Amino acid sequence: MSKESIKLIANNKKAYHDYFIEDRYEAGICLHGTEVKSLRMGRCSIKESFIRVENGEVFIYNMHISPYEKGNIFNKDPLRIKKLMLHKYEINKLSGKMTEKGYTLVPTQVYFKGGLVKVEVGLAKGKKLYDKRQDIAKRDQRREAEKEFKVRNLG
């Protein structure tokens, strides 16, 4: 048996920047013919996309698949909501985790595995974004205070 070839289509670097990815799942995705052809040409963006669990089903929103040039009337809306295929126990586990504070689902990559399109779903916890300007201001104040202290003690 040969190992199935994996060809990366899209990677979500923003997800790794904004979240701690704690767990990963591989999901199939429901697509139409022209969408698959467009993906084979590498026309896909998951930068702004997100995943929701609704009524025991998993959907991906804002995943942009550019229309296939030769697809004319068969092309679908590039931003349509697509269903992800996961096992029932995985969906139950994910929806249980999502009820906890701070957890969300983000797509981390889209790739071909064999001949099938797969989406890697990451169970993620949001990173805290501290305001760097406040830190810089505090550092400057401390430096000024140390300078004044030195000047007073020397003079």
Side-chain angles (χ1 to χ4, degrees):
M1 278 200 332
S2 65
K3 190 179 176 188
E4 290 185 46
S5 63
I6 292 176
K7 182 188 170 223
L8 188 67
I9 302 167
N11 198 1
N12 192 353
K13 292 178 185 171
K14 190 178 175 202
Y16 293 101
H17 183 264
D18 293 341
Y19 301 99
F20 296 111
I21 308 295
E22 293 188 2
D23 212 355
R24 291 183 172 86
Y25 297 89
E26 184 178 77
I29 185 167
C30 292
L31 296 171
H32 293 277
T34 54
E35 290 177 319
V36 177
K37 288 182 177 187
S38 189
L39 286 173
R40 287 203 189 282
M41 296 170 70
R43 302 262 173 93
C44 177
S45 172
I46 54 171
K47 232 176 225 164
E48 299 296 320
S49 59
F50 59 96
I51 298 171
R52 282 197 183 141
V53 180
E54 296 168 0
N55 303 326
E57 295 181 325
V58 185
F59 296 96
I60 187 166
Y61 293 80
N62 288 354
M63 178 180 171
H64 188 278
I65 299 176
S66 299
Y68 183 59
E69 288 143 15
K70 300 177 181 78
N72 57 41
I73 61 165
F74 299 106
N75 280 331
K76 299 288 179 189
D77 176 30
L79 288 174
R80 79 179 179 86
I81 300 163
K82 296 156 194 72
K83 184 177 175 184
L84 296 180
M85 294 177 282
L86 286 159
H87 291 283
K88 199 70 173 172
Y89 69 90
E90 289 176 323
I91 295 171
N92 291 339
K93 189 176 176 183
L94 288 173
S95 59
K97 279 283 195 181
M98 297 258 300
T99 56
E100 289 180 32
K101 189 173 181 262
Y103 280 103
T104 186
L105 291 176
V106 289
T108 53
Q109 19 181 263
V110 179
Y111 54 91
F112 278 105
K113 187 174 181 182
L116 304 172
V117 180
K118 300 286 184 181
V119 178
E120 188 181 76
V121 177
L123 181 66
K125 197 169 186 119
K127 287 184 181 177
K128 301 277 189 274
L129 299 175
Y130 296 106
D131 191 11
K132 291 180 183 174
R133 280 173 279 158
Q134 275 185 340
D135 292 340
I136 292 169
K138 283 179 185 174
R139 209 177 307 133
D140 287 344
Q141 283 177 341
R142 194 174 63 240
R143 237 184 255 130
E144 288 294 323
E146 285 173 4
K147 271 187 192 175
E148 284 180 31
F149 182 73
K150 282 183 183 176
V151 170
R152 275 196 212 138
N153 285 345
L154 292 173

